Amino acid sequence: MFAPYLILLVLFGILPIIQATITSIGPSIVNPAGGLQNFADVVADVRFLPALMNVVVFLLMYVPAMIIVVSLMSLLLDTVQGRWNLPLRLTYIVPASMTGATAVLIWYFMLEPSLSPYRDALHALGITQGNQIWRQGGLAWIFVAMAFFVGAGNWIVVQYGSLQSISEDVLEAARIDGANAWQIGWRIKLPLIRKYLVYMGILVFAAGLQVFVEPQLISGSVYTGIAKDWSLNQLSYDLAFQSNNLAGSAALSLMLLVVCIVAAIVVIFRTDFFEGTGVGKK
Amino acid sequence: MTTESIALPGRGEGIVRTRGFGAVSGRVVVWIVLAVFGILSIVPMIWLILAPSKTGQQLNDNPPFSFGSFEQYGVTWNNLLSQNDGIILKWMANSVTYTASIVVISCVTAVLAGYALAATTLPFKRVLLIITLIAMIIPPVALVVPLFVEISAIGLYDNPASVILTSSFYPFGVFLAYIYFSTSIPTEIYEAAKVDGAGEFTTFFRIALPLSKGLFGMLAFFSFSAAWVNYFLPYVLLQSQENFNLSVGLGFLFTSSPALNPQNGAQQSLIGRPEIALASLLLAIPILIVFIASSRLLVRGVLAGAVKS
């Protein structure tokens, strides 16, 4: 019964990693001798450090923004039970349907001062030209906004679900002890869903590390080349498909993959998220 | 929703009793924050629905939330069809075929594997579970280049099967199924069936499967939402336009038409911004419908229900 899944796991989970490892130490166009020098070559590539910095800045804004806003919004949502709760949740899910190319299109229009529904707000901020927003150096903000917009609503609804698992007795006891709504949220509900928030933080981090679609599409459409090789994954893609350096591309992918695997192992063995599932920390 | 509102009437009662001026203004602030977030969430969708009703010129000149005309939706659609002899239809059909195949293969393999992990004697169970968890946390994008290397090596490049098979690997589904079969159904049931002489497969098909309709719903939901919008993997694994799914096709329209890139302006193309917006809308609507229809699934269980044991 396990066999069909095991075949997929081996073929598309494990073999690609082995294959990529072999490729990554094979001869490349810049290094015919192959070996670990391929990894060093990628790191020494002039595009590597800027891309790494971009992704680090992106993550430093994106991960905390997600954790803070999702915690706050799910706690607020939890305080308003009743008939407006469901409609609110439904509106929060809507942006998750606009991913990838759709998100890029939407944000192009939302941020273009001459076309945007928010044009008054943009003008008030002194932004009257698209190129005041779309400029190198300020792009991380835009990609954070895009990724945040697509992901936050769904996570708010998911974490609202986590809050529903808190026993009513615990909350009632706190109220009897005189805790107000703010104290209940901050001191009781938040610690109780902490592990779900940590889990979300790590998934968001792992996904953010791989940012690709938004910069790639912006760079290929509206503002040609503005975000070329902006992220590490774009660099990996360019190495494979533009520079004809598949070994370098595989090497870079493996480095990113190792970071994700480490993050995964941390969640599994160093947090209590998988407690009771037969694998995690006892 | 009904069970929920019955289960939770107690919430907020304490606040009602002690409501003073501070509490009331606190409630107002909470409502404003929640409502503003809701409005910000739907503004782009409303814009996207209205955009194809306008001509490119109207889109530029008229207020963002103005409505053009219903006829213009038809004109926009026909313009979209003009691209490469209606290739948009092929992309939509591809999206449907790929997604349906992925949902079926991924859910069936995940349910079987989850059951095997939870209720059968399987060697190396813990190791398999840990590998599955690691694979579940790693974003699929991380494997794109390694998968490309492998797929090219076995000669499946630019073959739709490459996208379908690689996307059907569904460790998150296996984990959900494993948790479901080990917590929601008492293990005594499986043991009783085995004592009565039923084999693993009989127990699965007669006992476990009939009890797992809710599980299938949840697995299909997550599998569908990932497969429908899948971009990076098909973008890398497919080359021919006629093999693209809608998501990659939309990206192609983006980068190849003058709509958003004036440098492509020399080409004679009917694809403008309203046409791109309509293609985006066609991509967004199915997923929106599935999300709204499944919002009940999302409330309970995704994390809390799945992991609480």
Side-chain angles (χ1 to χ4, degrees):
Chain A
M1 294 181 118
F2 198 73
Y5 165 73
L6 188 63
I7 294 170
L8 293 175
L9 172 68
V10 171
L11 278 183
F12 306 122
I14 294 170
L15 268 185
I17 299 178
I18 295 172
Q19 180 99 40
T21 310
I22 296 168
T23 308
S24 72
I25 52 173
S28 83
I29 195 157
V30 288
N31 172 32
L36 292 176
Q37 185 59 34
N38 288 339
F39 287 80
D41 284 346
V42 169
V43 175
D45 190 300
V46 287
R47 296 166 292 182
F48 178 81
L49 204 58
L52 178 67
M53 286 311 294
N54 286 335
V55 172
V56 168
V57 170
F58 172 84
L59 287 171
L60 284 177
M61 293 194 279
Y62 176 50
V63 177
M66 284 290 281
I67 293 178
I68 293 168
V69 175
V70 168
S71 315
L72 185 72
M73 292 302 294
S74 56
L75 284 171
L76 290 183
L77 191 59
D78 191 45
T79 64
V80 291
Q81 300 295 331
R83 70 173 147 154
W84 286 104
N85 186 289
L86 180 64
L88 278 173
R89 288 199 314 254
L90 291 180
T91 57
Y92 294 174
I93 299 180
V94 170
S97 63
M98 293 179 272
T99 63
T102 312
V104 175
L105 175 81
I106 293 280
W107 279 91
Y108 168 66
F109 276 95
M110 297 296 135
L111 292 176
E112 187 62 39
S114 58
L115 304 170
S116 169
Y118 304 114
R119 72 177 90 176
D120 294 339
L122 290 170
H123 282 281
L125 290 170
I127 295 165
T128 51
Q129 298 289 323
N131 57 19
Q132 287 174 267
I133 290 185
W134 298 98
R135 56 188 173 78
Q136 273 157 345
L139 291 170
W141 281 104
I142 300 178
F143 300 138
V144 167
M146 286 182 183
F148 179 85
F149 173 75
V150 171
N154 238 348
W155 276 113
I156 291 169
V157 174
V158 168
Q159 299 298 4
Y160 168 81
S162 307
L163 286 167
Q164 303 314 301
S165 69
I166 298 174
S167 133
E168 184 58 28
D169 297 346
V170 174
L171 301 176
E172 191 56 41
R175 272 184 221 119
I176 290 169
D177 289 345
N180 61 31
W182 167 253
Q183 289 167 324
I184 290 177
W186 184 248
R187 298 263 180 82
I188 301 193
K189 290 179 182 172
L190 205 56
L192 282 172
I193 63 162
R194 192 189 60 94
K195 66 173 175 179
Y196 305 122
L197 292 171
V198 170
Y199 177 69
M200 174 187 88
I202 294 192
L203 283 193
V204 162
F205 165 81
L209 186 64
Q210 306 281 345
V211 55
F212 175 80
V213 181
E214 295 86 357
Q216 184 76 2
L217 277 179
I218 277 296
S219 215
S221 59
V222 193
Y223 295 97
T224 310
I226 190 173
K228 187 169 167 51
D229 298 321
W230 188 87
S231 79
L232 292 169
N233 249 336
Q234 283 177 284
L235 178 56
S236 173
Y237 180 83
D238 271 1
L239 284 172
F241 298 96
Q242 309 286 329
S243 316
N244 204 15
N245 180 1
L246 198 55
S249 172
L252 181 51
S253 287
L254 283 174
M255 288 189 264
L256 289 175
L257 188 63
V258 166
V259 177
C260 288
I261 292 177
V262 169
I265 289 173
V266 167
V267 185
I268 295 168
F269 294 106
R270 286 280 171 268
T271 73
D272 50 5
F273 187 74
F274 292 107
E275 203 174 79
T277 58
V279 284
K281 196 173 71 173
K282 292 287 171 291
Chain B
M1 288 306 112
T2 45
T3 49
E4 208 182 312
S5 47
I6 293 166
L8 299 165
R11 293 225 175 160
E13 274 179 3
I15 301 163
V16 175
R17 265 182 251 121
T18 57
R19 186 176 281 184
F21 177 72
V24 172
S25 53
R27 300 298 292 164
V28 171
V29 171
V30 168
W31 274 108
I32 291 174
V33 172
L34 289 172
V36 166
F37 202 89
I39 292 167
L40 290 177
S41 299
I42 54 173
V43 157
M45 183 48 100
I46 295 171
W47 181 89
L48 191 60
I49 292 170
L50 292 171
S53 76
K54 293 177 263 194
T55 63
Q57 197 58 45
Q58 287 172 324
L59 204 56
N60 273 336
D61 300 343
N62 296 4
F65 293 116
S66 61
F67 181 76
S69 69
F70 284 107
E71 293 74 47
Q72 192 59 35
Y73 279 108
V75 175
T76 308
W77 171 243
N78 284 329
N79 290 342
L80 203 48
L81 278 181
S82 74
Q83 169 82 19
N84 218 340
D85 297 328
I87 197 152
I88 181 93
L89 293 173
K90 180 75 176 142
W91 293 340
M92 289 165 73
N94 285 346
S95 269
V96 171
T97 325
Y98 300 173
T99 306
S101 314
I102 292 167
V103 168
V104 169
I105 301 174
S106 67
C107 291
V108 170
T109 54
V111 166
L112 285 169
Y115 177 78
L117 282 172
T120 66
T121 49
L122 191 70
F124 309 111
K125 199 183 266 188
R126 187 163 182 270
V127 174
L128 290 170
L129 191 55
I130 289 172
I131 293 175
T132 299
L133 289 182
I134 293 175
M136 152 184 149
I137 293 168
I138 295 172
V141 174
L143 282 175
V144 165
V145 170
L147 280 171
F148 168 77
V149 173
E150 181 190 11
I151 291 293
S152 316
I154 57 176
L156 276 181
Y157 180 64
D158 200 25
N159 185 331
S162 67
V163 172
I164 293 170
L165 289 173
T166 51
S167 308
S168 295
F169 171 49
Y170 189 20
F172 180 55
V174 174
F175 175 69
L176 285 183
Y178 163 72
I179 295 296
Y180 182 84
F181 287 121
S182 50
T183 59
S184 300
I185 302 176
T187 38
E188 291 80 10
I189 294 186
Y190 312 129
E191 280 154 19
K194 279 170 204 158
V195 170
D196 291 347
E200 304 282 19
F201 281 91
T202 317
T203 315
F204 176 75
F205 284 107
R206 293 277 176 80
I207 314 279
L209 204 53
L211 290 171
S212 47
K213 281 196 190 114
L215 173 68
F216 263 105
M218 190 134 102
L219 293 180
F221 169 79
F222 285 110
S223 179
F224 172 87
S225 8
W228 183 260
V229 297
N230 205 351
Y231 180 83
F232 195 14
L233 192 65
Y235 176 67
V236 168
L237 295 183
L238 302 174
Q239 187 184 33
S240 323
Q241 271 192 52
E242 58 266 30
N243 285 337
F244 287 176
N245 64 4
L246 189 53
S247 181
V248 176
L250 176 62
F252 176 77
L253 287 183
F254 239 79
T255 49
S256 65
S257 79
L260 295 171
N261 189 350
Q263 292 185 0
N264 294 329
Q267 300 172 17
Q268 285 300 313
S269 171
L270 290 171
I271 304 297
R273 289 165 171 176
E275 286 73 24
I276 300 248
L278 183 60
S280 302
L281 193 60
L282 291 170
L283 183 64
I285 290 290
I287 200 126
L288 184 64
I289 291 171
V290 169
F291 273 23
I292 289 177
S294 332
S295 62
R296 214 165 70 86
L297 282 176
L298 271 175
V299 171
R300 288 215 175 263
V302 180
L303 293 180
V307 176
K308 214 174 68 168
S309 51

